[in-house]
Amino acid sequence: TLSDVGASDGCQLSLVLDTLRIALTASVDGSALLWSAGSGECLRTLSGHEGWVRSAAFSRDGAVVLTASADGTAKVWGSDSGECLRTLRGHGD
């Protein structure tokens, strides 16, 4: 289970990018995490949303991650760096 690898309550598995063997989770704590699907190790934490992360997805090539949050923003992240590349504002419920 996700709790076995240290994921907090409210996390959900959004997608596994099988070619890279990386799992992506979105959480109620406002973060998304990248995990090694093989070892279960947390590789990167994407923090910066002020509300729970409702969804998270990889780009086709795995280079970026898009997260959407209850705070009304979507963020584009570099998968390798974990850096927020852009914040998109204005979406709502």
Side-chain angles (χ1 to χ4, degrees):
T1 66
L2 292 174
S3 61
D4 292 338
V5 293
S8 63
D9 287 343
C11 286
Q12 62 183 17
L13 181 65
S14 293
L15 178 69
V16 174
L17 189 57
D18 193 40
T19 57
L20 298 177
R21 306 244 334 126
I22 297 174
L24 173 62
T25 59
S27 179
V28 297
D29 70 2
S31 68
L33 282 78
L34 298 170
W35 303 87
S36 166
S39 70
E41 174 188 3
C42 179
L43 303 173
R44 204 160 279 90
T45 300
L46 310 177
S47 297
H49 284 291
E50 294 179 16
W52 62 283
V53 177
R54 293 180 171 183
S55 62
F58 285 104
S59 62
R60 277 186 194 228
D61 64 3
V64 297
V65 169
L66 176 69
T67 56
S69 172
D71 67 8
T73 66
K75 292 182 180 284
V76 180
W77 307 86
S79 296
D80 288 338
S81 68
E83 176 185 358
C84 180
L85 305 174
R86 179 161 300 174
T87 299
L88 310 169
R89 300 182 195 288
H91 81 86
D93 292 335

